[in-house]
Amino acid sequence: MEDNVVYTLSKQFALRIVKLYPILTERKEYIISKQLYRSGTSIGANLAESKFAQSDADYLNKLKIALKEASESKYWIELLTESYFLDEKESASLINDINIIIGTLVKIINKILKR
């Protein structure tokens, strides 16, 4: 169940990032926005791959990669905020979403590791 929830959340987050990218380029931010685009869309891509994992270890690895990408995305959002390319309202909403994704992934990974 949690797997489906985090997949849905990560896809919604990726769509937000895809829509944010042209806004950031209009604001003349090209480098970090591309990094956020890559990491923000990679979360869901890794979760999609995990559905057809070849083993339990492969499944866990895909979840861990998704978690790393989520953490990286949070970093880029913070950097964009602190450099004034994102305002506090934009940032707070994105940070809230990525924190939920990170927390859910951590919960799933910990549950698997306890088995």
Side-chain angles (χ1 to χ4, degrees), residues 7-43:
Y7 175 79
T8 300
L9 292 173
S10 66
K11 191 172 186 181
Q12 290 169 347
F13 181 78
L15 288 169
R16 290 187 70 192
I17 297 304
V18 167
K19 291 175 183 175
L20 177 62
Y21 181 75
I23 295 167
L24 290 170
T25 57
E26 285 174 11
R27 295 175 186 171
K28 307 284 190 248
E29 202 310 301
Y30 306 104
I31 306 300
I32 299 170
S33 59
K34 187 167 272 193
Q35 293 287 79
L36 177 58
Y37 190 94
R38 288 180 179 147
S39 63
T41 57
S42 180
I43 303 163

Side-chain angles (χ1 to χ4, degrees), residues 33-83:
S33 59
K34 187 167 272 193
Q35 293 287 79
L36 177 58
Y37 190 94
R38 288 180 179 147
S39 63
T41 57
S42 180
I43 303 163
N46 278 286
L47 292 173
E49 283 186 47
S50 76
K51 291 179 182 183
F52 296 98
Q54 296 174 340
S55 65
D56 289 342
D58 186 33
Y59 176 72
L60 184 59
N61 186 53
K62 297 294 183 202
L63 294 180
K64 287 180 177 180
I65 293 169
L67 178 58
K68 287 169 49 175
E69 295 292 339
S71 180
E72 181 181 339
S73 296
K74 183 175 180 180
Y75 173 79
W76 296 129
I77 294 165
E78 290 170 350
L79 206 55
L80 286 165
T81 305
E82 291 172 25
S83 59

Side-chain angles (χ1 to χ4, degrees), residues 13 16-17 20 77 81 86-101:
F13 181 78
R16 290 187 70 192
I17 297 304
L20 177 62
I77 294 165
T81 305
L86 290 176
D87 65 32
E88 289 298 323
K89 184 178 177 184
E90 292 167 322
S91 175
S93 178
L94 289 166
I95 291 291
N96 181 63
D97 287 356
I98 201 64
N99 281 340
I100 292 169
I101 291 168

